[in-house]
Amino acid sequence: MALNKVEICGVNTSKLPILKADEKEELFRRIKEGDEEARELYIKGNLRLVLSVIKRFSNSSENADDLFQIGCIGLMKAIDNFDTTLNVKFSTYAVPMIIGEIRRYLRDNNSIRVSRSLRDIAYKAIYAKENYLRHHSKEPTISEIAEEIGIEKEMIVYAMDAIQNPVSLFEPVYTEGGDTLYVMDQISDKKNKEDKWIENLSLREAMQRLGERERHIIELRFYEGKTQMEVADEIGISQAQVSRLEKNALKAMKNYLRS
């Protein structure tokens, strides 16, 4: 993997900006207010972090451009989730996020080689999806992604499918405020174990002890078989909030039945 070249993914690494501490603070203040220009500047000012991380994978056979793009996804997730009230430097928070994103990519792609053109389409779709989620707090449709990046939706589906490998149901896919969403939380399955548990133990009485919103979430999830994203769209909160409320409700119901 060649890491000594000046240009990676069209980015001249010799001319990347270096942000001062006061500039970082001001940009993050603007980012929290929804300033897209500030976010782009902050991303560019931290691309050196991505470069430093991919050097750790110099023994990998992967293309440096590919790792750089994946690392940038990790960087964007770190920017969107960083809590400025914590006494932690951004780089301390971001580097593990970037490393984790690259490791997941290497793990999921070590058994299959996908053409560069397909991977480029998949990367563009992932970028578009991340931006849409950040702005709308819900998953975009394939049509919306296609419109955003100007590529036919059939090709997007094909490209995304090409880079996918089977994963564990307990694979973490997103973290917000300490609440982790897993693959199993995204799956609609009317025959899942929690559903059987609810049906077999006749939890109506326990459910009546929940708040109205928590009870509604349990009904949608385990009686109507909806995904957490579908529930979030219906009641107007984030998927992370649905996950947290669902887990708390199930815990409260179990505790009631055991008492």
Side-chain angles (χ1 to χ4, degrees):
M1 180 174 67
L3 291 175
N4 57 350
K5 59 181 181 177
V6 174
E7 188 171 290
I8 296 182
C9 292
V11 177
N12 189 331
T13 60
S14 67
K15 296 184 178 180
L16 288 175
I18 299 177
L19 299 176
K20 297 179 181 178
D22 57 340
E23 290 177 319
K24 292 180 179 179
E25 185 176 344
E26 172 61 17
L27 285 175
F28 233 107
R29 183 191 65 78
R30 290 166 55 190
I31 289 171
K32 293 301 182 183
E33 294 175 352
D35 190 326
E36 286 297 318
E37 182 182 0
R39 184 172 182 269
E40 290 300 317
L41 290 173
Y42 202 88
I43 291 172
K44 291 178 180 178
N46 284 278
L47 288 178
R48 293 178 188 275
L49 281 180
V50 179
L51 291 174
S52 68
V53 167
I54 65 176
K55 287 179 181 178
R56 303 186 186 191
F57 299 89
S58 58
N59 293 328
S60 169
S61 61
E62 292 293 330
N63 185 284
D65 285 6
D66 294 335
L67 294 189
F68 184 76
Q69 290 193 62
I70 295 299
C72 287
I73 293 174
L75 173 63
M76 290 190 294
K77 288 182 177 180
I79 292 173
D80 293 339
N81 291 282
F82 183 60
D83 186 350
T84 55
T85 63
L86 301 176
N87 293 320
V88 177
K89 291 176 61 178
F90 175 73
S91 59
T92 302
Y93 176 79
V95 167
M97 295 275 285
I98 297 169
I99 292 174
E101 201 72 27
I102 292 175
R103 283 178 174 167
R104 281 191 291 273
Y105 168 78
L106 293 175
R107 182 196 62 212
D108 294 345
N109 289 273
N110 61 4
S111 61
I112 184 169
R113 310 303 299 181
V114 182
S115 73
R116 180 62 189 275
S117 60
L118 280 179
R119 281 183 293 183
D120 284 345
I121 292 173
Y123 296 149
K124 290 178 181 178
I126 292 171
Y127 281 127
K129 178 181 176 182
E130 291 292 334
N131 285 328
Y132 191 96
L133 274 169
R134 188 166 51 81
H135 285 104
H136 303 283
S137 298
K138 66 177 183 178
E139 292 271 358
T141 65
I142 293 297
S143 296
E144 288 167 333
I145 294 176
E147 182 178 352
E148 175 67 23
I149 64 179
I151 296 175
E152 293 182 358
K153 59 183 180 181
E154 291 79 9
M155 184 58 71
I156 294 174
V157 172
Y158 183 60
M160 295 298 290
D161 184 62
I163 66 170
Q164 298 300 315
N165 271 336
V167 296
S168 167
L169 288 176
F170 297 96
E171 174 80 15
V173 294
Y174 183 70
T175 299
E176 178 181 298
D179 295 309
T180 301
L181 300 177
Y182 299 92
V183 172
M184 66 180 297
D185 294 328
Q186 320 269 331
I187 298 173
S188 174
D189 181 5
K190 296 182 180 181
K191 300 299 181 181
N192 62 54
K193 292 182 179 179
E194 292 288 3
D195 190 21
K196 292 180 180 177
W197 180 72
I198 290 176
E199 291 175 354
N200 292 338
L201 294 180
S202 301
L203 297 178
R204 280 298 178 184
E205 183 177 351
M207 287 179 64
Q208 293 305 315
R209 295 178 177 270
L210 299 175
E212 182 178 352
R213 183 165 62 171
E214 288 84 354
R215 184 166 62 252
H216 187 43
I217 288 173
I218 294 299
E219 289 173 345
L220 292 174
R221 282 282 287 143
F222 301 115
Y223 283 88
E224 298 184 20
K226 294 188 176 182
T227 67
Q228 288 187 346
M229 184 61 74
E230 290 170 335
V231 174
D233 288 342
E234 180 166 329
I235 65 178
I237 61 177
S238 71
Q239 186 177 10
Q241 288 176 297
V242 171
S243 176
R244 181 166 58 250
L245 290 168
E246 175 187 316
K247 288 179 174 63
N248 289 341
L250 289 173
K251 182 178 179 180
M253 292 162 69
K254 289 177 182 178
N255 289 338
Y256 171 75
L257 290 169
R258 290 170 180 168
S259 63

